[in-house]
Amino acid sequence: MAIAASNAEDRVEQLIILTERLTELVAEQAQAFEQRRPQDAAALHEETSRLANLYRHESVRVRADPTLVSGAPLAQRTRLVRATEAFDAVLARQGRALEAAKTVTEGLVKAIAEEVAKQRTRGVSYGPSARASTDGTATAITLNQRA
């Protein structure tokens, strides 16, 4: 998967278009997470993944062979740099939004687990004189601190 460009100017223009579209998609995903609507972000996942993979591939190619873009006019290369800077800023925004969503989700899971543990009773012995304990030591929910 590669950009089919006939010259440096064409390649830079295609990279600008790719970077700007990817920036739009990531910004939409970040906004969806900020608005607590992850289902909206999920709807964009397939296109975002495809374009991100193409972007990664082309970035590696250009880093390995700068002559692929060096022949383009300075103004056009500057547009590419600006588009890349905007993309980096949006990635940082999305990272913050994802971290916030992760923190909220972990808090909810922990609160639910604690409530289940408090509500759960377990038998301490068997038979007619058995009594129940509500010390919360047994629970079926396991929290993964690295999730």
Side-chain angles (χ1 to χ4, degrees):
M1 175 181 340
I3 290 179
S6 56
N7 57 42
E9 189 172 343
D10 188 30
R11 179 174 306 283
V12 170
E13 192 60 36
Q14 289 181 36
L15 286 171
I16 290 168
I17 292 167
L18 171 64
T19 305
E20 288 175 345
R21 178 63 183 143
L22 195 51
T23 300
E24 290 171 13
L25 289 169
V26 173
E28 287 179 43
Q29 286 183 318
Q31 184 176 25
F33 282 112
E34 291 164 353
Q35 295 174 347
R36 294 170 179 75
R37 299 188 50 80
Q39 67 277 13
D40 294 349
L44 303 170
H45 179 72
E46 187 176 328
E47 183 180 5
T48 304
S49 292
R50 185 178 57 79
L51 294 180
N53 191 39
L54 180 58
Y55 180 87
R56 180 190 56 79
H57 178 76
E58 287 302 314
S59 295
V60 168
R61 286 184 66 200
V62 169
R63 263 189 238 110
D65 185 5
T67 62
L68 292 171
V69 296
S70 63
L74 178 60
Q76 191 180 32
R77 287 183 285 141
T78 301
R79 281 182 48 224
L80 178 58
V81 168
R82 298 290 176 255
T84 303
E85 290 169 346
F87 179 58
D88 288 343
V90 158
L91 283 177
R93 175 183 169 200
Q94 184 189 42
R96 290 187 300 273
L98 287 172
E99 185 62 32
K102 177 182 170 232
T103 300
V104 169
T105 302
E106 287 174 348
L108 288 172
V109 170
K110 185 176 182 190
I112 291 168
E114 288 171 354
E115 187 60 29
V116 167
K118 283 196 300 191
Q119 302 275 333
R120 182 160 297 198
T121 60
R122 65 178 179 95
V124 192
S125 62
Y126 295 98
S129 64
R131 61 183 225 283
S133 171
T134 58
D135 65 3
T137 57
T139 184
I141 296 178
T142 301
L143 296 177
N144 181 347
Q145 296 296 323
R146 294 173 37 117

